[in-house]
Amino acid sequence: MWGSFGEITFKSGFSPNTLKEIKNYSFRVHKPVNNPLLYEFTGEDENTLDIAITLNRAFVKVEEAVRKLEEYAKEASPQSLVIGKTYLGKYVIRSMEKVYEEILPNGEIFTVQLTLKLSEVPR
């Protein structure tokens, strides 16, 4: 199985390592006299995903993929997120953490673990 974010593909047999979805909702609080508080649902707030993925030189040009993800983040460019055959929607990158796990003797990066915080772009 594979996954992708925009033009970047990642190995999904081992990755994503984790996928945490956070849905946020808005409420307006009413304070009636001598009664309990009333909560009025006013809609959904920003939905976010925390996703940990592996980029491996065997499947993708790691440095190029990291640069592309940084470009997506700086441009706040919405990208499609697909895990396996499931389309999860369009997201922008809010933050990115990188851990270089395997570096070849010539200095090339072989494997990097990325943790992305993504915000869903409403349809």
Side-chain angles (χ1 to χ4, degrees):
M1 291 180 55
W2 291 87
S4 67
F5 182 72
E7 298 173 20
I8 309 303
T9 59
F10 50 87
K11 187 176 173 182
S12 62
F14 301 102
S15 178
N17 303 333
T18 60
L19 177 64
K20 176 178 162 183
E21 181 177 22
I22 303 165
K23 292 202 172 270
N24 298 295
Y25 303 96
S26 293
F27 294 89
R28 180 168 288 126
V29 179
H30 300 280
K31 299 178 183 181
V33 177
N34 295 326
N35 285 305
L37 296 176
L38 297 174
Y39 294 90
E40 176 187 4
F41 175 73
T42 57
E44 285 191 36
D45 282 341
E46 179 180 60
N47 293 323
T48 61
L49 284 179
D50 292 344
I51 183 170
I53 61 174
T54 301
L55 297 179
N56 186 292
R57 183 167 292 286
F59 305 104
V60 67
K61 295 178 182 175
V62 175
E63 294 93 344
E64 190 177 303
V66 169
R67 275 194 298 278
K68 189 69 175 172
L69 288 169
E70 289 171 343
E71 184 180 305
Y72 290 159
K74 289 176 184 174
E75 294 174 358
S77 175
Q79 300 297 319
S80 296
L81 178 63
V82 177
I83 307 261
K85 295 180 182 178
T86 304
Y87 172 76
L88 297 178
K90 289 203 174 233
Y91 290 82
V92 293
I93 298 173
R94 298 292 300 263
S95 68
M96 178 169 48
E97 178 182 321
K98 297 177 271 191
V99 177
Y100 298 98
E101 291 199 335
E102 291 181 68
I103 300 173
L104 300 177
N106 65 0
E108 291 182 64
I109 300 164
F110 193 80
T111 304
V112 65
Q113 290 286 335
L114 297 174
T115 303
L116 306 174
K117 182 175 282 291
L118 307 175
S119 291
E120 187 175 21
V121 176
R123 298 176 190 194

